[in-house]
Amino acid sequence: AAKTSKARFRRYAVELDDRADEEARLGAEMRAALDTGQFHLVYQPIVSLPDGEIRYVESLVRWTHPVRGFVSPAEFIPVAERNGLIVELGEWILRVACTQFMSWLETYGENAPSKISVNVSARQLAEPGFVPVVADALAASGMDPDCLIVEVTETAVFGGGVAVRAVEELHRLGVRIALDDFGTGHSSLTLLQTVPVDVLKVDKSFVDTITEAGRHAVIATALIQVSDGLGLTAVAEGVETAEQAAVLFELGYRYAQGYHFGRPVEEPAFRVAGVAAL
Ligand code: C2E
Ligand code: CA
Ligand code: CA
Ligand code: CA
């Protein structure tokens, strides 16, 4: 028994080693990818219910590796957070998003999206230079701070400290704050009392089950009540069917995002009429 468990342990150690190697390789390749322009951004619409008109867009990073092909951000963002590259990558993302927003404004005028949101990871938010980087990206592109939404997760602001101070400072600059994946953290409701928040992005997991019989809409209902009560904007994430959209509207949701309305693309269809402010 001792022998097999030793063998098993060795196999486990080798696996861990392989994983560390793979992570180091991926990290090094990301470094090169940043230098050779392998990253680009795609944009997914946030629409108004029930008419489906685009209100604003969320930027999402994409990596096309010359050999691996498409690498999911769910795979490489955590690696970038661990090796610190997210700071530089995140700054690049922010600058590209602001520049793209301004170029749409020029091209589409009143049919351009009214805002753009950018995902910011915990590591970026904790970086002392983060707020000046945001301010500089806005100034360099000529973008109004009101038009930028920074999406942070509950865990990123949970610890208080530097991250919360950064969020407060951004908010003072006029930047909107969205809590991403809302409802999945450990202290969702408490955070609403301690962090300045404008937008609640209600997690896909609460939308997935919304049309099932039983008590599945209970949480989605509670969250829209909290959001309305606090005067926040709720956005339902991951809406994949017309039925889900209809139920959400019924519950009082006015904004949604998901494959049903549009996948993330390089150039969303902005020519639809009547884009109002969020
Ligand atoms: P997230 O911020 O919660 O982004 C939403 C994710 O759900 C995106 O995946 C989007 O493509 C996907 N999605 C949208 N609608 C639907 C739907 O109807 N059904 C399903 N199944 N999925 C939907 P993506 O682009 O693969 O990004 C995954 C995660 O990676 C993001 O989750 C975010 O945490 C992170 N990420 C992506 N781009 C960035 C970025 O620019 N910066 C940072 N820091 N993180 C990013
Ligand atoms: Ca997000
Ligand atoms: Ca989300
Ligand atoms: Ca997520």
Side-chain angles (χ1 to χ4, degrees):
K3 211 174 187 177
T4 54
S5 84
K6 205 180 270 173
R8 205 177 298 141
F9 176 75
R10 194 169 305 128
R11 209 157 51 231
Y12 176 67
V14 166
E15 261 169 42
L16 274 186
D17 223 45
D18 285 352
R19 221 175 304 159
D21 285 352
E22 168 62 10
E23 170 138 353
R25 213 173 308 131
L26 203 61
E29 288 176 359
M30 282 179 67
R31 170 74 264 166
L34 200 51
D35 296 334
T36 58
Q38 293 167 25
F39 291 106
H40 73 281
L41 298 190
V42 289
Y43 306 89
Q44 187 178 30
I46 283 77
V47 304
S48 88
L49 291 170
D51 61 32
E53 280 182 11
I54 299 176
R55 287 298 185 252
Y56 72 92
V57 292
E58 175 177 7
S59 62
L60 295 157
V61 68
R62 294 291 177 263
W63 178 13
T64 313
H65 186 281
V67 179
R68 297 172 191 262
F70 175 82
V71 187
S72 167
E75 189 181 339
F76 68 79
I77 292 284
V79 175
E81 287 196 46
R82 288 192 288 269
N83 73 12
L85 200 64
I86 191 67
V87 174
E88 196 178 330
L89 177 60
E91 180 172 345
W92 179 86
I93 289 167
L94 194 64
R95 289 182 188 282
V96 172
C98 291
T99 306
Q100 178 62 265
F101 178 85
M102 291 308 287
S103 129
W104 282 329
L105 194 60
E106 194 162 304
T107 310
Y108 299 105
E110 63 174 12
N111 288 336
S114 65
K115 292 179 178 57
I116 191 164
S117 73
V118 175
N119 290 285
V120 169
S121 79
R123 176 87 177 244
Q124 271 178 285
L125 207 56
E127 196 70 17
F130 180 64
V131 176
V133 162
V134 175
D136 191 68
L138 289 167
S141 61
M143 184 172 156
D144 185 338
D146 288 355
C147 298
L148 179 65
I149 301 174
V150 160
E151 295 199 7
V152 302
T153 60
E154 295 167 43
T155 31
V157 286
F158 172 67
V162 185
V164 171
R165 280 198 297 279
V167 165
E168 287 168 347
E169 242 178 280
L170 288 174
H171 202 249
R172 271 197 299 275
L173 289 178
V175 172
R176 311 293 161 99
I177 310 299
L179 271 188
D180 208 350
D181 307 336
F182 189 72
T184 60
H186 295 294
S187 57
S188 308
L189 298 178
T190 309
L191 279 179
L192 298 180
Q193 296 185 300
T194 55
V195 180
V197 175
D198 305 286
V199 178
L200 291 187
K201 299 200 74 179
V202 173
D203 192 69
K204 181 178 188 302
S205 58
F206 305 118
V207 172
D208 283 343
T209 53
I210 207 171
T211 50
E212 287 171 18
R215 45 199 198 88
H216 296 298
V218 169
I219 295 176
T221 305
L223 294 181
I224 190 66
Q225 283 168 358
V226 167
S227 180
D228 286 349
L230 294 173
L232 309 178
T233 299
V235 176
E237 290 196 284
V239 179
E240 295 181 340
T241 68
E243 197 189 357
Q244 288 172 340
V247 173
L248 286 163
F249 184 73
E250 198 100 320
L251 294 179
Y253 283 82
R254 290 299 173 263
Y255 301 97
Q257 176 179 14
Y259 294 168
H260 174 62
F261 299 105
R263 289 179 180 256
V265 289
E266 281 176 47
E267 185 76 23
F270 292 129
R271 286 193 184 281
V272 289
V275 176
L278 179 67

